[in-house]
Amino acid sequence: MSEDLGLWAVPIAMLGGAIRVSTPFLFVSLGECLTERSGRINLGLEGTLVFGAMAGYAIAFETGSPWVGVLAAAIAGAVFGLFHGWICRFRGVNDIAMGIALMLLGIGLAFFFGKSYVQPIAPDLPAIPFGWWSDIPQVQAALQINALFVVGVVLAFAMAWFFKNAALGLRIRVVGDSTEAARAIGVNPDGIRLWSTAAGGALAGIGGAYLSLYYPGSWNEGISSGQGLMAVALVIFARWNPVMCLAAALLFGAAGAIGPALQTVGVTSGYYLFFAAPYVLTLALLILTSTPGKAQEGAPGELSITK
Amino acid sequence: MDSTATRVPTLPGLAIWLPRLEAVAIPVAALIAGLAVFSLFLLALGNSPIEFFSLVFKAAFGTAFSWKNTLSRVAPLLFAGLCVALPARLGLVVIGGEGAIALGGLAAAVTGVWLASLPGVVGLPAMAFAAMAVGGLWIGLVGLLRIKRGVNETIASLLMAYIAIALMNHLVEGMFRDPASLNKPSTAPLADALRVGNMPIGIEVHWGFGVGTIACVLCWVLTDRTTIGFAARIAGDNVRAAQVQGLPVAKLIVGFTTLGGAMAGLAGFFEVAAIHGSANASLVVGYGYTGILVAFLARHNPLAIIPVAILLAGFEASSGLIQRRMDLPDATILVMQGIVFVMLLLSETLYGRIKFFRPELWEDPR
Amino acid sequence: MTRISRRTLLASTGAVAATSLLPQTALAADELTVGFIYVGPKDDFGYNQAHAEGAAAVKAMDGVKVVEEENVPETVDVQSSMESMINFDGVKLLFPTSFGYFDPHILDIAPKHEGVRFQHAAGLWSADKHPTNVGSYFGYIGMGQYLNGITAGHATKTKKIGFVAAKPIPQVLLNINSFLLGARQVDPEITCQVIFTGEWSLAVKEAEATNALADQGCDVITCHVDGPKVVMETAAARDALICGYHANQSPLAPEKYLTGAEWNWAGVYTGMVKTAMEGGTIDNFVRGGLADGFIKMSPLGPAVSDAARKQYDATKAKIMAGGFAAIKGPLKDNAGNVIAAAGQSFVEDDIALESMDYLVEGVIGSTS
């Protein structure tokens, strides 16, 4: 059976937490990173995440396949993204505000249609035991890794490469930095933004499916505690860099495990403060890494939230 | 942007009134359109929109009790809306009002316990001041971080909201916990003299509504009728231009974020002094996030926050009756709100495009 | 402390009304409309579902109309919901079921509606402080956690059991203590690790807390949060055995489920509604336990050994007989203070248990 690890329990729990908890943050922030690089902001990904969680769970239950559920969540997320992308093309429409309205709509629709799926039990996504080399059960448990996490990590690096080297990636960046410049070189900014927003929505939907189909692995109205909104904010922290989004998501997941783990090693009071560790750490890093007068370093020029 | 101020008055009277009519007609039309789309949603699911809307009207505005139900929900939305709208005049997107509400409420409650023996005329303003000071400090810090360290205010305010809530819970369940609050950890109950009562308007609505309305009017005067507000608008449009003109951008940012935070603090004060009688976890129920929506729907105009907040409160007041009478889930109201707000925001594309509202285009020289 | 149970409650129907100091709340009518208000979703596999199952039983009664609202926060919202039910639906009997609805919300609204009866779960109604049209009721579910603890004590191999708890309030502390004391009836070496999440309902944090318990070697886990679904599923996925709470969670992991402490509101609610319909008076302070049908145990699962079953049955019989005390001396709290001297005991209906502020020796955790 499991052994007593003493204080080692905390770093191992953080490792496990980083892997377990980070995936929704990772997918949503990668999606938002893509969208924002094209010069559009979608604050509504929290709604997309929740709807994706519901849709993924419902479809997985109906079809018996969690992967079909993930696909359904991605499609649902893409539809939300397409809608946001389409509607923000109209002159005078504020994309920040529209995102918040769509967050409400997404959550509302998810709760509305999700009522009948709270009780049924849908099949979970399988985990890959990456901890086979260790004899310590805690390490084995921490390294039970879901395929979506692996996909997310690969995607972060792929997206970084894509923005730097791929023709389409460059076009997205041009559109994000200057609509006029994009038009001048014959790129259609509206089309690029539309599809970047749709793809961002699809990724957020997958993030939601991870919540309902893997960890914690059930659908209910409290499944998200604001991960979608936080992930959107983390993109700013990550300075619109996909690999930094991965780092931010891992940091967030790891820091989130500190609270419960400390209670098991005897640090039992002040748990509210330890639970706030992810926010405190992120804020501290943000303050340390920011430079006066350069609040928007790395921000796409057309982004409404940092203009 | 608000272009009414620059319009050339070719036809006096009409030129003044038509844009104002436009500012009312477009949102009203969008509201109706949103409700129409939601009706289709209801019909598709086999429910009667007529029954639905008559219930919403009955529950939100149809009787004296309905008005009470609606208006008693308005106060925190007004203050939380101001917390977003004021910094937004400078182009800052602050989304962490929830934290200032929690800490403001706690500050009010702790001050109230400390000043328990004082009469209300002294104690209540002291509590309100404490709430405003703590709320203002919290959001003002966001502004300060922006200026001094270049920290993005959106993420900083969100992170600080979570930290504030943790701090509030920690203190309510630790240092400031009333041992007699068994099943719901809270601070000690306020003395009766330190409770905020109802306004003398015939229905039971506490003073938060009145004070919130006045706060919106005062903030509107500040933003739309003073040089400070004018300077803020310039800085919001273009920071560099504002700096070139010698406007004190840093002071404006700290000032507006602090004022916004103070407003959120007042929301906490009224929740504590008028509703709960102590500070506890029920201060954190999402008013701060609803305030974001209120502010954006009002296009950051403090006066427009009032009708938007009342409309939103009315929708929420009707949720219960809809659940009970039509057996629809509580999320139905969320769906309706989502659709209506999408339409309202979409309608902003119509401003200046409808010829009827633009007399200067009536005699087309083409 | 007199024992006020459902049996005495039902026996008192009508007859006691004359001697009662309480005003007649004129509940008798052709059709009685009863309102239920829940703080969360009514299908949460937990606290709210347990109450909603009780409401469903009331719904099946003749001459009763039930109206319900879910997801009502403990703010001005619940005050409005109660008054809306009274004004628009003519509700005469209200069951606002969340802990935090009592003070100030019910206490503010009740005096304005004298013809309406407000029945609150878990409140500590007292005659000198609170309106007479308010009543509070609750069950000794700590006994259920004690029985959970006995099955856990037999099942644990690591001698460590775990508890995911929301907040350190008396109800929760009693459950944690009872769970460990039950297990210590099997083996006094067993310890119980508790993790507080700080929130009544927060899925990811509950899952993380459960994982932290499993990492620490806890191999039987239970909880006290609003919806135990996440804790149960996460614990089962970590190969820990589980004891349920609030409602029956065995469908979530039938092989891992030992037993569970469940509310049994159906009988309580139908009894109160019946009293109201017959024009009787519901007592203002009602408590009951296993014997009174306020709580029940989930059927024992396949992982429960014969020895465990034997001790479980014997203890259950003792509890059913009445006068049973889980908290009895000599007993210290986990900071070394004496809770009960040898020979001293707190029987399940002892009102002192409802203001518990300690964790007993052997529980790893703290109350603040």
Side-chain angles (χ1 to χ4, degrees):
Chain A
M1 283 308 290
S2 42
E3 344 178 353
D4 194 350
L5 299 172
L7 288 176
W8 274 104
V10 178
I12 289 179
M14 287 173 68
L15 171 70
I19 292 166
R20 285 189 300 260
V21 180
S22 63
T23 309
F25 289 108
L26 179 58
F27 273 88
V28 177
S29 60
L30 285 180
E32 183 68 12
C33 185
L34 177 61
T35 305
E36 290 191 15
R37 274 298 183 103
S38 77
R40 166 130 313 135
I41 186 155
N42 185 0
L43 272 188
L45 289 188
E46 170 74 14
T48 312
L49 173 99
V50 173
F51 193 87
M54 189 282 293
Y57 196 80
I59 299 298
F61 173 72
E62 298 293 352
T63 62
S65 160
W67 293 107
V68 177
V70 174
L71 185 69
I75 292 171
V79 169
F80 271 95
L82 269 179
F83 185 69
H84 182 70
W86 171 71
I87 216 164
C88 290
R89 284 169 60 169
F90 295 99
R91 193 194 52 165
V93 173
N94 182 313
D95 56 358
I96 300 176
M98 188 59 80
I100 294 166
L102 283 176
M103 172 172 6
L104 204 65
L105 184 62
I107 294 174
L109 288 171
F111 289 3
F112 188 96
F113 291 109
K115 283 276 179 224
S116 46
Y117 291 102
V118 174
Q119 295 272 335
I121 298 162
D124 274 0
L125 289 167
I128 309 163
F130 276 98
W132 48 268
W133 49 269
S134 170
D135 297 331
I136 305 169
Q138 289 91 332
V139 173
Q140 287 173 358
L143 292 176
Q144 285 282 323
I145 293 177
N146 185 273
L148 280 181
F149 175 75
V150 181
V151 172
V153 172
V154 172
L155 191 63
F157 288 99
M159 199 183 275
W161 177 88
F162 170 79
F163 283 137
K164 249 193 205 118
N165 303 302
L168 183 59
L170 291 173
R171 266 188 223 141
I172 291 174
R173 279 170 55 197
V174 170
V175 168
D177 279 332
S178 165
T179 308
E180 269 90 60
R183 286 221 171 87
I185 60 165
V187 176
N188 172 10
D190 285 341
I192 294 268
R193 284 198 188 123
L194 182 69
W195 292 107
S196 298
T197 314
L203 289 177
I206 295 174
Y210 179 91
L211 280 177
S212 63
L213 290 174
Y214 184 69
Y215 192 76
S218 68
W219 159 247
N220 62 64
E221 291 175 10
I223 191 74
S224 163
S225 37
Q227 283 97 327
L229 191 61
M230 196 65 240
V232 169
L234 284 180
V235 177
I236 303 172
F237 174 73
R239 304 221 176 264
W240 297 271
N241 175 344
V243 177
M244 283 294 291
C245 285
L246 171 64
L250 287 173
L251 169 80
F252 228 72
I258 294 177
L262 279 180
Q263 289 192 48
T264 66
V265 297
V267 184
T268 50
S269 41
Y271 46 85
Y272 280 110
L273 302 183
F274 292 118
F275 282 136
Y279 311 107
V280 177
L281 274 178
T282 310
L283 185 65
L285 278 174
L286 192 65
I287 294 172
L288 287 175
T289 56
S290 297
T291 328
K294 285 191 184 171
Q296 321 304 355
E297 200 179 35
E302 291 286 330
L303 206 57
S304 56
I305 204 164
T306 50
K307 244 183 180 175
Chain B
M1 279 296 107
D2 190 0
S3 58
T4 52
T6 55
R7 197 154 290 156
V8 190
T10 46
L11 297 168
L14 269 184
I16 294 171
W17 285 106
L18 278 174
R20 291 187 185 175
L21 183 64
E22 180 187 37
V24 174
I26 289 180
V28 169
L31 178 65
I32 294 169
L35 295 178
V37 173
F38 180 67
S39 300
L40 295 178
F41 175 81
L42 284 178
L43 280 172
L45 295 166
N47 291 290
S48 156
I50 296 171
E51 186 189 1
F52 186 91
F53 290 121
S54 52
L55 282 176
V56 168
F57 180 76
K58 182 180 176 188
F61 308 107
T63 68
F65 165 71
S66 313
W67 275 102
K68 174 195 166 181
N69 189 352
T70 297
L71 294 183
S72 60
R73 296 166 190 261
V74 173
L77 304 184
L78 295 174
F79 292 117
L82 285 174
C83 180
V84 180
L86 289 172
R89 298 302 281 246
L90 283 151
L92 301 181
V93 184
V94 168
I95 60 175
E98 190 84 358
I101 295 174
L103 285 182
L106 178 64
V110 171
T111 310
V113 173
W114 185 48
L115 300 175
S117 54
L118 290 184
V121 283
V122 186
L124 281 173
M127 287 163 64
F129 179 77
M132 289 173 72
V134 171
L137 198 71
W138 202 253
I139 304 295
L141 193 59
V142 173
L144 202 64
L145 281 174
R146 167 74 193 242
I147 299 164
K148 293 285 175 199
R149 295 287 319 168
V151 175
N152 177 284
E153 76 285 354
T154 310
I155 179 167
S157 65
L158 185 63
L159 291 167
M160 282 178 64
Y162 283 106
I163 297 169
I165 292 164
L167 209 55
M168 192 273 291
N169 277 321
H170 177 73
L171 293 172
V172 163
E173 293 187 15
M175 196 187 210
F176 296 128
R177 179 170 178 178
D178 173 19
S181 63
L182 294 176
N183 285 333
K184 180 145 189 174
S186 307
T187 57
L190 293 173
D192 285 343
L194 297 183
R195 296 295 301 270
V196 167
N198 292 326
M199 297 191 291
I201 54 169
I203 49 174
E204 295 173 323
V205 177
H206 68 75
W207 274 101
F209 174 63
V211 175
T213 308
I214 295 168
C216 285
V217 174
L218 291 179
C219 286
W220 174 79
V221 171
L222 173 74
T223 56
D224 288 60
R225 288 290 178 273
T226 66
T227 48
I228 296 175
F230 189 63
R233 203 181 308 174
I234 293 173
D237 280 347
N238 190 333
V239 175
R240 212 151 275 152
Q243 279 164 336
V244 168
Q245 290 177 37
L247 293 174
V249 176
K251 277 184 188 159
L252 282 171
I253 287 180
V254 173
F256 271 62
T257 46
T258 304
L259 189 59
M263 292 298 118
L266 270 185
F269 162 73
F270 279 108
E271 282 303 292
V272 164
I275 308 285
H276 297 293
S278 63
N280 56 48
S282 290
L283 279 169
V284 184
V285 285
Y287 291 135
Y289 299 106
T290 314
I292 307 171
L293 193 68
V294 170
F296 273 93
L297 285 171
R299 306 171 95 202
H300 309 311
N301 177 338
L303 272 190
I305 284 180
I306 302 169
V308 170
I310 293 175
L311 181 72
L312 208 71
F315 285 165
E316 276 166 16
S318 62
S319 167
L321 201 60
I322 297 296
Q323 279 187 62
R324 274 137 46 202
R325 292 289 167 81
M326 294 185 73
D327 208 21
L328 284 167
D330 57 310
T332 316
I333 293 292
L334 271 182
V335 175
M336 177 174 79
Q337 287 180 350
I339 292 176
V340 165
F341 297 149
V342 166
M343 292 307 277
L344 273 171
L345 293 167
L346 184 58
S347 75
E348 297 197 356
T349 194
L350 295 176
Y351 286 93
R353 283 196 184 180
I354 301 171
K355 213 173 158 191
F356 173 77
F357 295 116
R358 302 189 66 184
E360 73 272 19
L361 296 182
W362 286 358
E363 294 159 73
D364 196 341
R366 175 165 48 106
Chain C
M1 189 54 53
T2 48
R3 184 182 174 81
I4 311 155
S5 70
R6 181 171 149 249
R7 279 171 303 183
T8 51
L9 163 78
L10 293 180
S12 74
T13 301
V16 182
T19 60
S20 167
L21 295 170
L22 318 169
Q24 271 290 352
T25 39
L27 294 174
D30 295 340
E31 189 180 58
L32 179 68
T33 309
V34 184
F36 286 87
I37 302 177
Y38 315 108
V39 72
K42 58 187 180 191
D43 44 10
D44 63 354
F45 271 103
Y47 187 80
N48 297 295
Q49 180 174 323
H51 286 292
E53 282 168 6
V58 172
K59 219 180 271 184
M61 295 169 73
D62 285 333
V64 181
K65 189 167 168 260
V66 169
V67 292
E68 297 171 279
E69 271 186 50
E70 54 184 335
N71 289 325
V72 180
E74 296 165 349
T75 60
V76 73
D77 281 52
V78 66
Q79 301 189 7
S80 298
S81 287
M82 289 190 285
E83 290 202 297
S84 176
M85 285 182 168
I86 293 165
N87 288 331
F88 290 134
D89 298 323
V91 163
K92 291 279 182 234
L93 177 58
L94 263 171
F95 290 93
T97 55
S98 183
F99 286 10
Y101 289 161
F102 189 66
D103 187 4
H105 308 297
I106 290 175
L107 297 180
D108 272 1
I109 297 298
K112 298 176 192 163
H113 301 276
E114 287 191 350
V116 180
R117 180 62 185 237
F118 296 75
Q119 284 296 100
H120 179 254
L124 271 175
W125 184 86
S126 95
D128 49 342
K129 279 195 291 192
H130 298 140
T132 48
N133 59 333
V134 174
S136 67
Y137 59 92
F138 214 51
Y140 309 126
I141 200 158
M143 285 296 145
Q145 282 290 12
Y146 187 79
L147 288 170
N148 273 352
I150 287 176
T151 63
H154 281 279
T156 179
K157 297 194 174 71
T158 58
K159 304 297 169 202
K160 271 187 195 170
I161 56 180
F163 200 113
V164 178
K167 288 172 182 266
I169 64 165
Q171 289 295 340
V172 176
L173 298 178
L174 177 60
N175 281 332
I176 300 168
N177 291 335
S178 302
F179 185 56
L180 176 73
L181 291 171
R184 286 199 159 186
Q185 292 305 303
V186 182
D187 181 347
E189 294 299 307
I190 294 173
T191 57
C192 177
Q193 172 77 52
V194 58
I195 295 184
F196 290 103
T197 63
E199 303 281 344
W200 287 106
S201 179
L202 202 53
V204 173
K205 212 178 272 179
E206 287 159 12
E208 281 296 277
T210 311
N211 269 311
L213 289 174
D215 279 346
Q216 201 59 21
C218 300
D219 58 356
V220 188
I221 290 171
T222 187
C223 68
H224 186 166
V225 294
D226 270 357
K229 188 182 182 190
V230 165
V231 173
M232 298 296 147
E233 290 187 331
T234 311
R238 288 295 300 267
D239 259 341
L241 296 164
I242 49 182
C243 290
Y245 188 64
H246 283 320
N248 187 351
Q249 286 106 24
S250 70
L252 297 174
E255 296 301 313
K256 303 277 181 203
Y257 195 79
L258 295 174
T259 181
E262 299 177 41
W263 296 107
N264 189 17
W265 293 125
V268 180
Y269 287 166
T270 50
M272 287 178 179
V273 170
K274 194 156 166 269
T275 306
M277 288 177 78
E278 289 166 356
T281 307
I282 304 169
D283 284 341
N284 291 74
F285 191 82
V286 180
R287 293 292 188 265
L290 207 55
D292 315 293
F294 276 48
I295 67 164
K296 61 184 177 192
M297 298 301 293
S298 315
L300 295 180
V304 177
S305 66
D306 286 341
R309 183 180 298 266
K310 220 167 152 192
Q311 190 175 1
Y312 168 92
D313 285 339
T315 314
K316 192 174 171 188
K318 276 190 218 157
I319 294 171
M320 293 293 277
F324 189 83
I327 309 284
K328 59 173 191 282
L331 185 66
K332 285 182 180 168
D333 70 13
N334 66 0
N337 306 308
V338 175
I339 297 300
Q344 191 186 3
S345 67
F346 295 89
V347 178
E348 63 171 0
D349 58 358
D350 194 326
I351 199 72
L353 296 177
E354 295 195 29
S355 46
M356 181 173 277
D357 59 357
Y358 53 83
L359 289 166
V360 298
E361 192 174 12
V363 177
I364 306 161
S366 77
T367 55
S368 66

